Amino acid sequence: MADKPICQYVSPEGKKCSEIDMGSGYCFWHDNKFDKGGLELSQKLERYAKRGGLLQGLELKRANLEGLNLVNFENHHGYDLSYSNFYRANLKGAHLFNNTIKHASLMKADLREASLHCCNLESTNLLGIKLENTRIDNMELGEQLLQEQQAFEARRNRAKEDAEDLFLQSEEIYRLLRKGAENQGLFEMVGRFTYKELRMRHAQYPRFSKRHLISSFVDLLCGYGEKPENVIRFSLGMIITCAFCYFLFGVSFQDQIMQLDLDSSVSENVMALLNSFYFSVVTFTTLGYGDITPVGISRLIAAVEAFTGSFSLALFVVVFVKQMTR
């Protein structure tokens, strides 16, 4: 008796399926032409996974996988569902703890009340997913979303309209993730997704437009209110820049002008520089001891630094308290 034909599917990682060919060249699980819409496949898929079937590249568009329990307690890395297609699949209440679902599609999948705890979703399409009451803590998304990667690639290729559309999709995905994290009380994730959401919106603004410049400044200053360390870096940068300006243009100390003087000794110039740093710190923090005073153009620099300093210190308190009270 002739051997039955085997499924021809080979994953991008070189793994081969050993299931029986249904006549199309592929098995039931890897045949993208077989309509699985509405089919209740939860138990069948669980049995397939337990007997060691290849879970990469599954074609399960619109399949009913409600209550699916796909947790592999015997494997530290869980099941590998990479390259699979779960477009519009019903995964409500599914248990997918610690599974790998990279380079896959969960587009418009229903994941309400499901568990994606510790799942790896790098380079997976998450557009339109439903995440109400979904457990998403410790979920790994990589540095960039799939659409985010594609958007930057389109920008490099000068495909402006494609890039804007992909950035818009990325913004929508981060918004969905942010709301899902808020519902779960995962406030650290909320901050991260909020920042990424606003970065994707920033990428859609025309370069050098007013909105683009304002958004860039706010990001540089405080990371859209999510990065207090940015306020510290900005403050240090302002202090150092102004200190060198005072060193170049001069400040008055005990009726003497301290500034860069090529005819003076190195030690005198170093002392003038240190005093300029001291004056810059005092001005930025608005302490104003009065022992050193600005002269000439240094007065304008001091006025700008004092205003910026009072604003930056207040901003740091606001951003820091926001982070701590989450």
Side-chain angles (χ1 to χ4, degrees), residues 42-53 70:
S42 297
Q43 294 183 359
K44 188 174 181 179
L45 181 57
E46 290 171 12
R47 291 194 297 268
Y48 175 68
K50 288 179 180 178
R51 61 184 174 85
L70 215 58

Side-chain angles (χ1 to χ4, degrees), residues 272-304:
L273 178 60
L274 293 176
N275 278 308
S276 295
F277 269 100
Y278 161 75
F279 177 68
S280 184
V281 171
V282 169
T283 303
F284 187 86
T285 55
T286 64
L287 291 174
Y289 290 126
D291 50 345
I292 299 177
T293 56
V295 294
I297 196 173
S298 293
R299 292 181 176 181
L300 175 62
I301 299 170
V304 172

Side-chain angles (χ1 to χ4, degrees), residues 245-246 248-253 255-259 279 292-302:
C245 289
Y246 299 137
L248 290 174
F249 298 113
V251 291
S252 176
F253 176 63
D255 296 327
Q256 292 184 346
I257 302 299
M258 295 187 303
Q259 67 181 125
F279 177 68
I292 299 177
T293 56
V295 294
I297 196 173
S298 293
R299 292 181 176 181
L300 175 62
I301 299 170

